Amino acid sequence: MELDRQPVRSEYRLNEDNELRLEIGNEDVIVELVEGVAEVFGTPLAVHKRYTFPPGFRCSIFTYQGALVEIIGKTESAYIATQTPMAIYLNTHYGLEMHRQIALKKLAMGDLTARGPRILLTGPMDVGKSTVSRILLNYAIRFGHTPIYVDLDPGQGQISIPGTVSALLVCKPADIVENFDRTSTLAFSLGSTSPALNIEYYKHLIQTVANLVDEKCAFSPRINASGVVINTCGWIKDSGYHALLVASKAFKVDIVVVLDNELLFNNFKKDLPNFVKIVHEPKSGGVEVRSTAQRAASRNRCIQNYFYGTKHSPFHPFTIEFSYAKSEEEQELYIARVGTDKLPDSCLPFGMTVEDHRTKVVRVSIDSSLKDKVLALMPANAAIDQSLISTPAIGFIVITDVDVEKKTFTILSPQPQPLPTRLALYTDVSFIDDS
Ligand code: ATP
């Protein structure tokens, strides 16, 4: 006889400035704010609304005033933390808010160039950079602003897929589970999840995004006054550190928040100009420290969600087969890449420097090594030339199979045939579609 299994129900009473840290196991868990006021990384929870937290989800439910939270289902872990750095992050928000109010006053007096705060969050891996970015953006929205979020971390892809550098105008608070609405994200494909594989191109993309942010701010004084929040990757040594200095300069940041790492804080003090305020803040004890395998799984989940959506809003991608036996002009989809192998100096064309090969755009011939690779779709009017290194992607596909005998390849695409373009950019990001 089947026993009627009742879901596990637990109640957590949170006092002022406490947070309930949750790790969801293999099953969905229902969360309800029964009374009080609470938020998840800056997004308020509605009272008596039932939220479904999916498997693998990690978050904290924080309260400034006190709250009662009910959890239905079995969590991997759930505990109340009484020590959190949220008061420090809130203070940072108030610092940014003062800056915004000054910009808005100047704007009201006719100064159309009044600029809000530009803050860069940095620190080693797993210190909560993305989470603090999200909190600060959510607070900015709740105070009536529309900041720009820049994600310079190609490792995880907060607002696009992994392997990109991206920017998003944030107009509403992040969804508790799905994070920010990504529909208007501008994403540039770096071609890999590690900037170290092509640091020249990474720095070029940093400058490209910074120029676009400046253009957007020049176009809208309101956005300019709201400021920019820049999330970075955890590579803080050698060329990684140099790329952070490049980013600080390119985005003309006013504030750098260093999470957790004192050496990095001191290095910035030495290397950044005096007008940049550098602050050192603690990481939250709740931040998950992820193994390489967990990072890879999270990347895969992110790409999976791009094509298939989530359980609550599923997408239905298309499988399309193309022939590559046709002539170059007739091919329905052809592929370029950024970066070629290094040529000896003597073989370089006149005027080309050794670094140029890293950002040189070349055509890629199709072979079985492309199987499972993610490709970035370029706009319909794009051609294989150097302009591709400054062109945002219009979407992503995956090559799921290459048949070298029949000279065909198969792709997974969010859109049906015909694709909106014939040109895609190679990436070495892999996605194995086992759905
Ligand atoms: P990366 O090394 O990829 O740059 P990061 O420094 O940006 O990582 P986050 O992505 O912000 O770190 O945090 C890592 C994980 O820890 C995320 O899953 C996030 O949801 C979780 N996390 C962050 N803060 C808390 C908290 N206070 N309680 C519970 N989980 C948290």
Side-chain angles (χ1 to χ4, degrees):
M1 193 181 76
E2 275 276 313
L3 283 178
D4 186 18
R5 284 205 300 145
Q6 288 291 321
V8 187
R9 281 172 180 266
S10 339
E11 276 196 345
Y12 294 87
R13 166 83 50 197
L14 305 179
N15 294 325
E16 274 173 31
D17 297 330
N18 285 180
E19 72 182 20
L20 174 62
R21 291 179 182 158
L22 292 174
E23 202 182 335
I24 312 303
N26 297 324
E27 291 163 27
D28 282 356
V29 162
I30 310 282
V31 173
E32 184 181 329
L33 173 64
V34 180
E35 58 182 61
V37 181
E39 60 184 47
V40 170
F41 302 143
T43 307
L45 286 166
V47 185
H48 292 310
K49 179 171 170 178
R50 290 188 157 198
Y51 296 89
T52 305
F53 287 5
F57 188 64
R58 273 205 157 235
C59 74
S60 74
I61 298 174
F62 177 82
T63 175
Y64 287 106
Q65 287 104 325
L68 180 65
V69 176
E70 184 179 50
I71 309 274
I72 305 170
K74 208 169 158 299
T75 55
E76 187 117 325
S77 72
Y79 69 95
I80 294 175
T82 53
Q83 304 287 322
T84 84
M86 283 300 284
I88 297 170
Y89 302 156
L90 180 67
N91 227 9
T92 307
H93 160 71
Y94 278 117
L96 300 179
E97 187 54 27
M98 256 169 55
H99 201 139
R100 289 185 187 110
Q101 291 308 327
I102 293 170
L104 286 172
K105 258 192 208 133
K106 285 188 186 165
L107 192 58
M109 285 159 64
D111 178 0
L112 295 180
T113 62
R115 223 187 66 171
R118 295 186 172 196
I119 178 171
L120 181 121
L121 290 121
T122 174
M125 287 201 296
D126 298 327
V127 290
K129 299 178 291 298
S130 312
T131 305
V132 179
S133 304
R134 177 168 161 177
I135 292 170
L136 295 176
L137 287 158
N138 274 332
Y139 287 173
I141 294 287
R142 287 167 65 182
F143 273 62
H145 307 289
T146 49
I148 294 177
Y149 183 23
V150 172
D151 189 5
L152 300 182
D153 182 3
Q156 292 296 320
Q158 281 284 308
I159 47 174
S160 180
I161 66 166
T164 57
V165 165
S166 46
L168 172 69
L169 178 66
V170 183
C171 301
K172 58 177 187 215
D175 179 85
I176 302 274
V177 176
E178 315 261 336
N179 211 335
F180 291 109
D181 179 355
R182 303 153 163 227
T183 34
S184 55
T185 295
L186 199 64
F188 292 84
S189 173
L190 174 65
S192 89
T193 56
S194 163
L197 291 185
N198 194 343
I199 188 76
E200 287 308 317
Y201 185 32
Y202 181 57
K203 286 195 268 190
H204 169 80
L205 289 183
I206 289 175
Q207 189 61 58
T208 305
V209 178
N211 295 345
L212 283 171
V213 165
D214 281 345
E215 273 174 35
K216 186 89 184 166
C217 288
F219 176 75
S220 165
R222 184 88 211 167
I223 294 171
N224 200 10
S226 296
V228 184
V229 175
I230 305 152
N231 181 25
T232 60
C233 65
W235 184 31
I236 54 166
K237 290 209 163 146
D238 309 320
S239 304
Y241 176 64
H242 188 248
L244 289 171
L245 295 179
V246 168
S248 309
K249 192 168 169 210
F251 286 95
K252 304 173 207 72
V253 299
D254 321 280
I255 305 154
V256 171
V257 170
V258 181
L259 289 168
D260 196 46
N261 191 295
E262 233 166 296
L263 175 64
L264 184 63
F265 169 69
N266 281 297
N267 287 343
F268 275 129
K269 287 205 123 185
K270 274 197 304 235
D271 294 333
L272 286 177
N274 287 340
F275 60 80
V276 181
K277 187 170 177 196
I278 304 151
V279 282
H280 184 221
E281 296 188 359
K283 73 170 219 179
S284 163
V287 180
E288 178 190 20
V289 177
R290 291 166 289 183
S291 64
T292 312
Q294 279 172 308
R295 280 176 180 278
S298 139
R299 273 199 286 275
N300 218 58
R301 208 164 37 243
C302 182
I303 301 174
Q304 172 94 19
N305 289 350
Y306 175 80
F307 288 104
Y308 290 95
T310 56
K311 193 170 153 191
H312 301 284
S313 48
F315 304 152
H316 303 284
F318 300 84
T319 297
I320 308 169
E321 191 182 270
F322 292 118
S323 161
Y324 64 95
K326 301 175 179 173
S327 71
E328 283 191 1
E329 292 69 41
E330 284 177 325
Q331 269 183 34
E332 287 126 314
L333 189 68
Y334 57 102
I335 303 167
R337 70 176 290 157
V338 178
T340 59
D341 290 337
K342 189 174 170 183
L343 289 170
D345 286 353
S346 56
C347 298
L348 289 175
F350 179 72
M352 188 175 167
T353 63
V354 180
E355 286 80 38
D356 287 347
H357 74 279
R358 312 300 317 263
T359 50
K360 186 153 175 49
V361 176
V362 291
R363 187 164 180 146
V364 173
S365 42
I366 292 167
D367 62 33
S368 57
S369 68
L370 292 180
K371 184 171 166 358
D372 300 328
K373 296 297 183 198
V374 173
L375 306 181
L377 293 177
M378 294 287 104
N381 57 357
I384 300 188
D385 59 33
Q386 281 310 113
S387 68
L388 284 189
I389 65 171
S390 314
T391 305
I394 57 165
F396 299 90
I397 55 172
V398 178
I399 297 196
T400 50
D401 196 23
V402 180
D403 188 330
V404 283
E405 307 272 289
K406 276 173 38 198
K407 284 198 167 268
T408 59
F409 64 100
T410 310
I411 63 158
L412 182 72
S413 163
Q415 278 179 276
Q417 215 168 4
L419 292 183
T421 178
R422 291 174 59 218
L423 178 57
L425 212 50
Y426 168 86
T427 83
D428 80 355
V429 181
S430 294
F431 171 66
I432 297 170
D433 184 16
D434 54 5
S435 51

